[in-house]
Amino acid sequence: QVQLVESGGGLVQPGGSLRLSCAASGSGFSLYAMDWFRQAPGNQRELVGYIGSDGMTDYTGFAKGRFTISRDNAENTVYLQMNSLKPEDTAVYYCHTRRGFLNYWGQGTQVTVSS
């Protein structure tokens, strides 16, 4: 069983930055990839990027060059650093992981980019 708890969302002005955190419970955190997704109102949930167990990362196009995913295996935590935020980044952000065929999601954290 894995529980994921996101934090760090909020209201930020365009061009600003936020760092989201996702704390994971359960064993074996370091062995598994972790993903960040987001969902804006009226839109489907979309992948932001992921970090593998080896620390390798990859990002969807809109996130490249602006967002950075990192992990602290000692703290069982994955981070999403978001810079140069735009109004279109407004969404609920979720972390996700998988254990075999089981998918685990956090409750999400709201990010609003507005002046």
Side-chain angles (χ1 to χ4, degrees):
Q1 186 74 8
V2 177
Q3 289 187 320
L4 303 174
V5 179
E6 300 96 336
S7 61
L11 174 64
V12 63
Q13 292 188 340
S17 298
L18 276 178
R19 188 176 82 154
L20 308 183
S21 301
C22 172
S25 66
S27 61
F29 174 82
S30 64
L31 302 177
Y32 297 94
M34 298 292 297
D35 316 307
W36 283 97
F37 285 77
R38 71 181 188 183
Q39 187 167 19
N43 290 358
Q44 290 188 335
R45 195 169 295 190
E46 61 180 350
L47 178 68
V48 175
Y50 69 87
I51 184 165
S53 59
D54 59 358
M56 294 286 288
T57 56
D58 200 7
Y59 303 91
T60 301
F62 65 81
K64 289 183 179 180
R66 298 191 300 130
F67 295 1
T68 302
I69 298 173
S70 59
R71 65 191 301 162
D72 183 340
N73 290 332
E75 297 293 330
N76 280 16
T77 301
V78 62
Y79 301 98
L80 176 62
Q81 176 69 43
M82 303 185 293
N83 299 326
S84 302
L85 283 162
K86 306 174 182 180
E88 52 263 44
D89 295 317
T90 295
V92 178
Y93 284 73
Y94 300 89
C95 63
H96 166 267
T97 191
R98 187 181 296 115
R99 298 290 187 269
F101 295 107
L102 296 176
N103 288 282
Y104 295 95
W105 296 90
Q107 83 287 353
T109 186
Q110 176 71 46
V111 172
T112 302
V113 184
S114 175
S115 56

